Amino acid sequence: MEELKLTGNHLKGSRPILTFSANFEKDAHWKLMKEVITQIFGTPKEYRKSKPYYDHVFVFSIVDDHIWFRNYQITVPHNESDKVARGGLDKMTLVEVGPRFCLNPIKIFGGSFGGPTLYENPFYISPNQIRALEKRQKAGKYAKKVKAKTRRKMHELSNPLEPDEFADMWKD
């Protein structure tokens, strides 16, 4: 994150171009997620507060069963008179302006917040399960310490030290 400067700025009220990776067409649950994302991030048709131009791009891609979001500004080279040069549209570039985030789909329900489960992520592990596993591992460490301590005591009892012949040498 430190190497990112995230310079750039798109105008308030401008509409984004939504782009999706080809992975969204593979499975039915990804197609459904694409439709949900389109409805969330897309600008409604003839929305009165939106501007009639596009100056940024929202990119959605699937990597490791997570949806990654990136926000880019479309930059166009300008000539001296501050107008787009003829033929300059092919020289447009994208500059990342942020934010970026990652979505991990857990479940898709048939209704709003309930209903039959249409999709459940088999790779998702809840934070509670992770904490319980860590707790069990810590408990295992403590049990090992107690077991080692009792083994040491048993070893000391079965192998007593011989009396030291010089123990009383410095006592008067």
Side-chain angles (χ1 to χ4, degrees):
M1 285 302 293
E2 290 179 2
E3 79 256 3
L4 293 176
K5 301 294 182 215
L6 296 179
T7 58
N9 190 11
H10 51 80
L11 299 173
K12 182 179 177 183
S14 63
R15 297 181 288 179
I17 297 173
L18 302 179
T19 60
F20 295 90
S21 66
N23 297 350
F24 277 95
E25 299 301 322
K26 285 186 177 177
D27 296 322
H29 66 276
W30 291 124
K31 289 179 184 177
L32 180 61
M33 289 302 298
K34 178 180 177 180
E35 182 60 32
V36 168
I37 289 171
T38 302
Q39 290 182 16
I40 292 172
F41 289 100
T43 305
K45 190 173 184 175
E46 298 181 17
Y47 179 62
R48 63 185 180 88
K49 290 188 177 182
S50 70
K51 305 292 186 247
Y53 49 82
Y54 299 95
D55 71 340
H56 60 291
V57 179
F58 288 168
V59 178
F60 298 93
S61 55
I62 299 171
V63 179
D64 297 331
D65 288 323
H66 290 70
I67 300 172
W68 293 84
F69 171 86
R70 298 287 184 266
N71 184 10
Y72 296 98
Q73 175 191 0
I74 302 170
T75 58
V76 181
H78 296 286
N79 59 13
E80 296 82 36
S81 63
D82 234 12
K83 293 183 181 176
V84 176
R86 292 217 178 249
L89 296 179
D90 60 338
K91 297 176 185 170
M92 286 191 294
T93 58
L94 296 177
V95 177
E96 187 171 2
V97 294
R100 19 162 91 174
F101 57 85
C102 178
L103 301 171
N104 186 7
I106 301 168
K107 282 187 180 185
I108 300 175
F109 295 115
S112 58
F113 300 104
T117 302
L118 302 176
Y119 167 75
E120 185 169 358
N121 189 348
F123 303 108
Y124 177 73
I125 301 172
S126 73
N128 288 338
Q129 289 175 332
I130 294 170
R131 279 191 292 272
L133 181 63
E134 288 173 355
K135 211 173 193 180
R136 270 189 244 118
Q137 288 174 344
K138 286 180 183 177
K141 285 182 183 178
Y142 177 73
K144 284 180 186 177
K145 283 181 186 178
V146 169
K147 194 173 185 180
K149 202 173 189 179
T150 56
R151 265 193 276 133
R152 181 68 188 160
K153 282 223 185 257
M154 295 300 291
H155 177 74
E156 286 176 358
L157 291 174
S158 63
N159 299 320
L161 290 175
E162 296 176 6
D164 189 11
E165 60 188 66
F166 301 113
D168 295 331
M169 178 184 258
W170 301 108
K171 291 184 181 177
D172 285 337

